[in-house]
Amino acid sequence: STKNKMANPIVVFNSSAGTFEAEIFMDKMPETGGNFISLVKDKFYDGIHFHRVIKDFMLQFGCPHAKDAKSSRAGTGGPDAGSAYEVPGVGMKKRSGDGSIPDEHTAKITNDIGTLSMANAGPNSGGSQFFVNTVHNSFLDWFDKSSDSAHPVFGKVISGMDVVKKIESTPCDKNDNPKTAVQMITVTVK
């Protein structure tokens, strides 16, 4: 069957631990995917370190404060207030006063192994931080009512899962911060 739409973008994550690639689900998650791709094109993620790595759970990334691998503010930052992002088929939108986007609770995509999912601090608080699931964390699904957690999935690793697993096994301190920094050198659209 032929599809009358653009193929989903592939994003290349070039880290100090190696490279992995992910498909971004623009077809099912245009708001979240559009926000992410806009940040990638703005080089927002280049130079940021993974600030939270928990074995058999996930790798968290995308806080601008984590350009300093040991920043005590890592995990608290996001895009600039009111900054613009592009949503396919809609056009330009502005992030909220704290740099967040609306939760996109539409497609029921589970937080399975290798998926990219929005980090947040409650409803409508997602911005630039996301995590890569290293196990199936279904309790994080917005449509799973076993917990209050609601993390929309917007992509999935399609190559380099060995690199994801390598980062996952990085020794961390008591705050789940890698003892040996893992930096994202560049994130680009393929």
Side-chain angles (χ1 to χ4, degrees):
S1 71
T2 56
K3 293 181 179 174
N4 296 331
K5 60 182 178 65
M6 303 250 313
N8 280 332
I10 304 298
V11 170
V12 180
F13 296 87
N14 176 27
S15 82
S16 58
T19 301
F20 61 94
E21 296 183 358
E23 175 186 357
I24 305 305
F25 301 148
M26 291 294 247
D27 55 343
K28 295 185 177 89
M29 299 294 287
E31 181 100 25
T32 311
N35 172 68
F36 176 74
I37 293 293
S38 293
L39 290 167
V40 169
K41 288 179 175 172
D42 290 343
K43 302 191 182 315
F44 182 93
Y45 293 113
D46 297 6
I48 294 178
H49 296 84
F50 283 90
H51 69 272
R52 191 167 170 240
V53 173
I54 304 176
K55 190 162 176 47
D56 299 322
F57 184 37
M58 58 91 221
L59 325 173
Q60 192 166 332
F61 172 76
C63 176
H65 299 310
K67 284 199 171 172
D68 168 1
K70 299 298 175 190
S71 171
S72 61
R73 294 175 68 202
T76 64
D80 291 337
S83 53
Y85 64 104
E86 187 173 359
V87 179
V90 175
M92 298 306 289
K93 289 185 74 173
K94 286 205 177 300
R95 295 182 182 95
S96 70
D98 64 358
S100 300
I101 63 166
D103 288 334
E104 192 169 25
H105 294 166
T106 50
K108 289 188 174 182
I109 310 168
T110 190
N111 278 269
D112 209 345
I113 297 169
T115 54
L116 276 53
S117 187
M118 288 299 286
N120 62 44
N124 301 305
S125 63
S128 58
Q129 294 186 52
F130 67 95
F131 54 93
V132 181
N133 287 292
T134 59
V135 294
H136 188 185
N137 293 311
S138 60
F139 69 96
L140 298 178
D141 296 342
W142 63 266
F143 48 91
D144 178 317
K145 301 306 176 198
S146 69
S147 78
D148 289 337
S149 297
H151 298 275
V153 170
F154 65 93
K156 184 165 182 153
V157 174
I158 56 167
S159 73
M161 198 63 197
D162 56 322
V163 174
V164 170
K165 297 303 278 180
K166 181 175 160 186
I167 298 168
E168 179 192 23
S169 62
T170 303
C172 294
D173 65 19
K174 65 181 180 6
N175 297 317
D176 305 313
N177 183 265
K179 290 179 179 174
T180 303
V182 181
Q183 185 181 47
M184 196 60 72
I185 301 160
T186 56
V187 183
T188 53
V189 179
K190 195 169 181 178

